[in-house]
Amino acid sequence: MTTIPNEKITAFTGGKILTMDPDRGHAETVIIQNGRIKDIGDAELINQYPNAAVVDLSGRTLIPGFIDSHNHLSSFGCFFPEWANLIGITDETAVFAALAEHEKENLGPGWLVGFGWFDAQCGGKEFTRADLDAIYPDRPVVLIQATFHKSVVNSKALELLGIESSSPDPRCGIIQRDQNGVPTGILIEEAQVPVFQTIMAADTRRHADLIEARAKELLPFGITAVHDPGVTPAAEAAYRLLYDEGRLPVSVLMMPHGSAVLDNDLGSRLAGPSTGAGDEKLRTGPAKLFADGATSETVAFAMKMHGQVITSGKYRDDFADVLCTAARNGWQTCVHSFGNATTDAVLDAYEQAAKETPAGFVLRPRLEHVTLLSNSQIERLSKMNACVSVQPQFLVRGEGMKRAPLDEGKWFAYGDLSRSGVVVAASSDDPGGFMDARDPIKCSVMGSTMSAGDGKTIFPEQVMPFVEWLRIYTAGSAFAGGQENERGMLKKGMVADLVLLKGELDPQNPPVVDETWKDGRLVYQREAPEKTV
């Protein structure tokens, strides 16, 4: 990749500067050149750079660029704009209306895809193949549930996928069947892999174009880097094409995965470039594994209520060996773990992996989601210097979870994790979940108030200040990606990814992203300056 140097010196001063650097909490001036932070210090520092172009913060707040530590950019994210958006729709008629509207722009015999389906668990409508067949008898249709761990397809889709009554369930998936053993159209967890391989098939250039377009949408949110959890070999090829052509709008930490999302078989990928390979624009991160899903069948909980332990769901049996194999080969891993019983199994696997790592390799356990934790699990995470990537958007389900009368265990234990020394990173899970969660400011409001975004605190004991959430979205996410020496802080030598916030740092009246700077260049400005005549 050829990089055009930006030799111009630019100075930022005249406002609040939050460095997120524990060795220097605040500063008065930041100097950038050639895409990096050249210097940082007090107000007098600017006198050492008389030829610098000065950006007057005018009372605004300067922070490092946001890092979305869990964004499915190269899979569901980039294809999502080509599908029917069903997020938030709970009415059956409205679901089919959205599909019909989408179909107008997607005529022909090809697959019709809806993403963000709210099933009964999400407060919406359950569908089967019969429901879809009644309207779409001849065209393959799939509705992907909001968490993408469950889908429903029609009969035509089942036919094309070769799924029939005699088809066995995959090792970590379920083909739901009726009382006669006939598939109902519901596919859970790994049973969806053939669907995902089909609907996300694209040549490398088209795939790259879709990624680029979706990534550009992140810049107005102040996001300058993402961690992509589940980068298939095809997605990796698309990323490398964007890198070679200098077209990556944001920096990407690729988390290699199997041939399709939800496939834990890493195959020969462990023999390729390992964790840390690459540069600050495109780097290989930890390998991504799934230990459970997001449906009642695939999330393993063990909840103590009224003195009794109630268990539900089952975690996957195919991740622990892969995790240990990766560690033996010098790879870091990150593991999807929703249920607390799942988390016990994941921590056990990491403890075993720590015994098998090569000399000099420092294992950095990383867990995604961790919605329910006990004090003992938090202590284990702390002792093994683990980090977690969390998504405040799931607090929209917090009120219902709080009603469960737990004797022990904590939902969304963000505050306890942080106070125990576990590094917390923040993210969107885009486009998964129950809302468009790409905005770090919106999610920082939810996290700092531990609310669904309405300011009504659900878990007061887990509240942390708004500024702390800004740190979690920057320095915390950088650490979780092994990037703490290149980004996430305003520090000499770090990449010059910057965000200017306008307004007070108050979750009740939050600021807005006024400008985004990527590699020392202005790439987004909320209000363009007026032209002088």
Side-chain angles (χ1 to χ4, degrees), residues 232-310:
T232 65
E236 188 165 352
Y239 272 134
R240 295 201 181 281
L241 176 61
L242 289 170
Y243 174 85
D244 290 342
E245 296 182 350
R247 293 168 51 204
L248 276 173
V250 298
S251 295
V252 175
L253 186 76
M254 301 183 295
M255 299 177 173
H257 193 48
S259 62
V261 179
L262 300 180
D263 177 10
N264 278 344
D265 184 2
L266 295 175
S268 61
R269 183 60 187 85
L270 293 179
S274 60
T275 305
D279 62 23
E280 66 270 13
K281 297 185 185 301
L282 183 66
R283 194 179 294 284
T284 301
K288 172 65 184 294
L289 299 171
F290 286 88
D292 64 4
T295 67
S296 58
E297 304 94 336
T298 62
V299 175
F301 283 117
M303 295 181 281
K304 190 174 182 180
M305 301 182 187
H306 304 300
Q308 294 185 332
V309 176
I310 300 173

Side-chain angles (χ1 to χ4, degrees), residues 95-366:
V95 168
F96 285 119
L99 283 175
E101 191 65 28
H102 180 67
E103 188 179 22
K104 293 177 182 178
E105 304 297 325
N106 295 271
L107 301 174
W111 281 75
L112 193 63
V113 183
F115 183 91
W117 162 44
F118 276 30
D119 63 355
Q121 181 179 326
C122 298
K125 164 74 176 176
E126 286 294 327
F127 292 108
T128 66
R129 65 192 288 183
D131 298 308
L132 301 182
D133 289 347
I135 300 177
Y136 299 101
D138 303 315
R139 183 177 185 180
V141 177
V142 56
L143 307 185
I144 305 170
Q145 192 238 30
T147 67
F148 69 76
H149 289 272
K150 172 183 176 181
S151 296
V152 59
V153 298
N154 65 351
S155 295
K156 184 64 176 179
L158 289 172
E159 175 191 333
L160 293 175
L161 295 169
I163 297 175
E164 51 193 27
S165 298
S166 60
S167 299
D169 285 350
R171 177 176 175 179
C172 296
I174 301 170
I175 300 171
Q176 191 183 85
R177 306 164 198 269
D178 64 18
Q179 59 186 5
N180 298 315
V182 178
T184 65
I186 296 290
L187 305 174
I188 297 173
E189 203 61 22
E190 204 174 11
Q192 301 171 98
V193 165
V195 181
F196 295 160
Q197 289 175 323
T198 301
I199 64 174
M200 288 188 270
D203 65 71
T204 301
R205 182 158 295 281
R206 176 170 173 269
H207 198 168
D209 291 344
L210 292 172
I211 292 171
E212 181 185 24
R214 185 70 171 179
K216 286 180 177 177
E217 296 179 14
L218 300 176
L219 298 174
F221 295 116
I223 296 170
T224 57
V226 300
H227 300 171
D228 187 339
V231 176
T232 65
E236 188 165 352
Y239 272 134
R240 295 201 181 281
L241 176 61
L242 289 170
Y243 174 85
D244 290 342
E245 296 182 350
R247 293 168 51 204
L248 276 173
V250 298
S251 295
V252 175
L253 186 76
M254 301 183 295
M255 299 177 173
H257 193 48
S259 62
V261 179
L262 300 180
D263 177 10
N264 278 344
D265 184 2
L266 295 175
S268 61
R269 183 60 187 85
L270 293 179
S274 60
T275 305
D279 62 23
E280 66 270 13
K281 297 185 185 301
L282 183 66
R283 194 179 294 284
T284 301
K288 172 65 184 294
L289 299 171
F290 286 88
D292 64 4
T295 67
S296 58
E297 304 94 336
T298 62
V299 175
F301 283 117
M303 295 181 281
K304 190 174 182 180
M305 301 182 187
H306 304 300
Q308 294 185 332
V309 176
I310 300 173
T311 60
S312 66
K314 181 181 179 181
Y315 56 79
R316 296 176 62 143
D317 65 0
D318 66 343
F319 76 91
D321 288 344
V322 181
L323 189 155
C324 289
T325 299
R328 287 195 297 271
N329 283 273
W331 277 79
Q332 303 288 0
T333 52
C334 68
V335 186
H336 171 113
S337 181
F338 255 104
N340 62 329
T342 305
T343 295
D344 275 335
V346 173
L347 297 180
D348 289 345
Y350 270 122
E351 287 174 351
Q352 178 60 39
K355 301 174 184 177
E356 303 179 18
T357 56
F361 180 77
V362 179
L363 190 66
R364 183 177 288 184
R366 171 172 168 168

Side-chain angles (χ1 to χ4, degrees), residues 7 24 49 52-53 61-62 68 74 78 108-109 119 210 214 294 309 312 353 399 407-408 431 441 449 488 504:
E7 297 180 353
R24 181 198 287 271
Y49 300 92
T61 300
L62 180 70
D68 187 341
S74 67
C78 72
D119 63 355
L210 292 172
R214 185 70 171 179
V309 176
S312 66
E399 197 63 57
D407 294 348
E408 58 184 50
I441 297 296
T449 59
E504 297 300 316

